[in-house]
Amino acid sequence: MRLNNYISSTGLCSRRKADELIIQKKVKVNGEIAELGRVVGAEDIVEVDDKVLEKKENDVYIALNKPVGITCTTEEHIKGNIVDYVNHPERIFPIGRLDKDSEGLILLTSDGSIVNEILREENNHEKDYIVTVNKSITPSFINGMSNGVKIFNPVRKEYTTTKKCTVVKMNERSFKITLSQGLNRQIRRMCSHFGYKVVTLQRVRIAHITLKGLAYGKWRNLTEEEVRKIRSKK
């Protein structure tokens, strides 16, 4: 496999971070400084900062029903970080984000190689959210949210139009929205465009994985079948 994939599969970091380590010449293969794009096999010895890496035999894959107030970060100095909250014996990290003031399904893993399979837009892993807003939902709001909303992208310093999506009214102030992209605070910014404020936001599904049977604030291990289905998107 590619060197960056191997490094991430040990749980050390993501593939992107692995590329940074390689560029910084902190990675060696069989005692020699490695280059980007290097392919390694089972017989190769990979070192990062002169420490030999060993691939995990059994990676961890977790589904958490995240409570409001927990921050999706591995930074230990941040109070209420998700890693401390789960308190798993293995080194794990969240796949993507769910805002501190949002709740619901988020996945965590020790396997950096699976992250892009879930987050990459072209893999079309849909996500369902149940959203409550501060005033009555109108047909024009549903139509506008469904057909793409022009929102400002603070990273690129430009406006972005969201992809068309499915939005279904559930009651006077709640709706269900299905997205295949994940812009920063996307739903809140979409609602704000139409003069609505999000009161509660809960993610209830990521691809084939749901919150069914998972109590608020609790986590469970993914089944082998759930992991296999993610891998089948490769």
Side-chain angles (χ1 to χ4, degrees), residues 10-26:
T10 68
L12 179 67
C13 60
S14 67
R15 281 190 284 189
R16 180 178 296 179
K17 179 62 177 178
D19 282 337
E20 293 176 6
L21 293 172
I22 295 169
I23 292 171
Q24 294 165 5
K25 300 189 181 302
K26 294 183 177 182

Side-chain angles (χ1 to χ4, degrees), residues 66-72 79-81 99-103 216:
K66 186 190 87 68
V68 171
I70 298 300
T71 303
C72 294
K79 186 177 180 181
N81 71 76
D99 297 335
K100 182 178 180 179
D101 44 0
S102 299
E103 63 184 79
Y216 184 77

Side-chain angles (χ1 to χ4, degrees), residues 114-180:
I114 204 170
V115 174
N116 285 343
E117 305 308 322
I118 295 174
L119 299 183
R120 191 180 293 136
E121 281 190 29
E122 54 264 36
N123 283 342
N124 292 315
H125 286 302
E126 291 184 343
K127 303 175 184 69
D128 286 345
Y129 301 81
I130 304 298
V131 186
T132 301
V133 289
N134 63 331
K135 57 184 179 179
S136 297
I137 295 170
T138 64
S140 62
F141 172 77
I142 295 294
N143 183 64
M145 292 282 285
S146 301
N147 287 295
V149 181
K150 191 174 183 180
I151 59 177
F152 185 71
N153 186 326
V155 176
R156 297 184 178 181
K157 306 297 183 183
E158 62 185 17
Y159 282 91
T160 299
T161 300
T162 62
K163 290 183 177 181
K164 290 185 177 182
C165 60
T166 302
V167 183
V168 178
K169 182 176 179 180
M170 300 182 69
N171 56 47
E172 185 179 357
R173 295 192 178 188
S174 298
F175 64 92
K176 179 180 179 181
I177 181 169
T178 302
L179 301 178
S180 61

Side-chain angles (χ1 to χ4, degrees), residues 208-209 220-232:
H208 52 281
I209 302 166
R220 67 171 177 84
N221 292 305
L222 297 188
T223 65
E224 291 184 4
E225 178 66 9
E226 287 171 329
V227 176
R228 187 195 66 77
K229 284 185 177 180
I230 293 172
R231 291 294 190 192
S232 70

Side-chain angles (χ1 to χ4, degrees), residues 5 11 38 43 45 49 56 62 79 87 123 125 154 176-177 183 200-201 225 233:
N5 197 13
R38 174 73 184 264
E43 72 283 358
I45 298 174
D49 288 330
K56 293 178 180 289
I62 285 172
K79 186 177 180 181
N87 193 30
N123 283 342
H125 286 302
K176 179 180 179 181
I177 181 169
L183 302 177
T200 63
L201 191 156
E225 178 66 9
K233 286 287 187 176

